[in-house]
Amino acid sequence: MTGRDPNAGSGPRIVSWNVTARCNLACAHCYIDADGRGSPGDLDTAEGMTLIDQIAAVGRPILVLSGGEPLLRPDIFDLAGYAAGRGLRVAMGTSGVLVTDAVAGRVRDAGIRKVAVSLDSTDPGVHDAFRGVSGAWERAVGGIRALRRAGVPVQIHTAVNGSDAGEVDRVIAFGKNLGVRDYQFFFLVPTGRGEDLAGIPPEAHEAAIGRILAHAREPGLSVRPTCAPQFVRVAARMGLDPSRWGRGCIAGTGYCRIAPAGDVTPCPYLPVPAGNVRKKAFGDIWHGSDLLAALRDPDRLGGKCGRCEYRRACGGCRARAYGVRRRRGDACGGPVHPGAPDGDILAEDPCCPYEPGQGEMKHDLPAPGYP
């Protein structure tokens, strides 16, 4: 008997759809290398609505409309409204720079329940440099304010680069002044345009996770480290109940990404297709992919992840395990170990300093498959 995910027969809980690779920013870490031209072959409106029907046929997940910049797609509100009408919980991920009061009103009226806006620093210069466009910070903050005026809940997304751990505290304090109570902090993964960005050592990685989770003690405040699944172990060590967040890495278990031209991948940072919705129905891919089946079985993990007592609750970052080794360098401060597999999605997570058997477990941890 294997440790295969007991929820593998159910549908995803979150689906992220990159509706376009076109973008008006030039972010240093963009996982799909979005630019002003976009890419050929994006799913058109009719194909998008068919995709929405297929997603609705396997469940009622959160559908995140992302990009590139989704607001550059002319039919974005038609797609959002159609998805909401099919019973999906629709969210949007945006840079915020195109969000005016009029746009915020259309977001609300299309049935979009939450909008995630990227804000990487309280320093406009730092944010603008990372996003590649002068004035992006000011317009993003203006977008957050417009969404709040329209009554649309906002989640702030912040990229963690480790150079200033205090930025976590400052972003949350700044966001709270804007009325935002929901935050996700993204740890960079070496993929797309960010393939060669320098990472931070595992110990600094772990310290940043602790800094984020310290804010979880505040009632009514939602924080989550993303692309850092070992946060469930850190949370348990801090005396927090990890079940409030669910499994650390949900790639392929409760979550997947759909690329602009229809490729289904376990997550945006793991560019290995499980299938394409132009060739096979979404439900057939979700339930029938060998790749996704492998990710749902924690007993197939390699290296120390495979030996770890947290493997069902954490799972290790599958994208980082794949991306770091594929480029033959380590995004976490050191060289890849000799003989490490090349591009192995089941390899150990190189950004986790924990050695199995140290006995930190203090809570019953969540079953795999739950985001």
Side-chain angles (χ1 to χ4, degrees):
M1 181 176 180
T2 71
R4 189 172 181 270
D5 176 9
N7 304 292
S10 61
R13 286 168 172 75
I14 305 173
V15 176
S16 180
W17 176 17
N18 297 128
V19 297
T20 180
R22 187 182 170 206
C23 189
N24 53 343
L25 299 185
C27 303
H29 65 309
C30 183
Y31 59 82
I32 60 171
D33 199 12
D35 57 27
R37 300 182 304 276
S39 59
D42 293 357
L43 300 176
D44 62 25
T45 304
E47 289 175 311
M49 291 183 175
T50 297
L51 170 61
I52 289 166
D53 289 336
Q54 293 176 0
I55 294 171
V58 298
R60 294 293 182 270
I62 297 169
L63 176 63
V64 182
L65 302 175
S66 184
E69 174 50 65
L71 290 171
L72 289 174
R73 182 159 172 153
D75 61 354
I76 190 63
F77 295 116
D78 295 327
L79 293 169
Y82 186 77
R86 294 289 281 116
L88 304 183
R89 293 168 290 167
V90 185
M92 177 179 285
T94 173
S95 68
V97 302
L98 297 178
V99 180
T100 61
D101 284 313
V103 170
R106 295 190 70 186
V107 167
R108 177 197 59 219
D109 295 345
I112 296 172
R113 298 190 185 187
K114 182 181 289 187
V115 174
V117 178
S118 298
L119 195 71
D120 299 307
S121 174
T122 55
D123 182 334
V126 172
H127 177 90
D128 290 359
F130 194 59
R131 296 289 163 175
V133 173
S134 179
W137 186 91
E138 184 177 357
R139 293 165 68 187
V141 172
I144 292 171
R145 290 190 170 115
L147 290 162
R148 295 285 300 147
R149 285 193 292 269
V152 178
V154 173
Q155 181 180 81
I156 286 179
H157 283 186
T158 300
V160 177
N161 61 22
S163 60
D164 184 0
E167 193 69 86
V168 167
D169 304 332
R170 290 191 293 271
V171 165
I172 290 177
F174 183 77
K176 286 163 65 175
N177 286 334
L178 296 174
V180 178
R181 306 289 295 176
D182 194 356
Y183 302 83
Q184 285 202 29
F185 291 88
F186 288 77
F187 288 73
L188 298 180
V189 176
T191 189
R193 200 152 59 223
E195 186 173 41
D196 295 320
L197 288 178
I200 58 178
E203 293 75 15
H205 196 95
E206 188 125 331
I209 292 171
R211 191 102 182 210
I212 294 163
L213 291 177
H215 291 275
R217 302 185 191 280
E218 181 175 335
L221 194 70
S222 175
V223 297
R224 182 184 176 103
T226 299
C227 302
Q230 63 267 40
F231 81 83
V232 295
R233 173 179 52 78
V234 178
R237 188 181 66 208
M238 294 172 63
L240 299 168
D241 183 359
S243 65
R244 65 189 282 186
W245 291 283
R247 193 173 193 260
C249 179
I250 58 175
T253 62
Y255 175 70
C256 68
R257 181 276 296 255
I258 301 166
D263 279 341
V264 178
T265 72
C267 86
Y269 310 100
L270 184 51
V272 182
N276 188 289
V277 297
R278 282 181 165 138
K279 299 177 181 178
K280 187 180 291 188
F282 175 80
D284 292 338
I285 297 171
W286 178 258
H287 292 300
S289 163
D290 290 340
L291 170 67
L292 300 184
L295 292 170
R296 292 167 188 163
D297 186 351
D299 289 336
R300 293 180 63 177
L301 295 175
K304 66 180 182 181
C305 283
R307 303 189 306 271
C308 186
E309 61 269 34
Y310 291 93
R311 65 185 180 278
R312 288 175 175 79
C314 168
C317 178
R318 298 299 95 220
R320 191 170 284 109
Y322 175 82
V324 164
R325 286 165 174 80
R326 182 170 56 88
R327 72 175 191 166
R328 308 307 297 170
D330 192 340
C332 298
V336 171
H337 298 300
D342 188 13
D344 183 358
I345 64 169
L346 299 175
E348 68 181 51
D349 182 342
C351 282
C352 180
Y354 180 73
E355 290 298 328
Q358 292 180 7
E360 292 183 358
M361 297 182 79
K362 295 181 180 179
H363 285 273
D364 291 332
L365 295 174
Y370 287 92

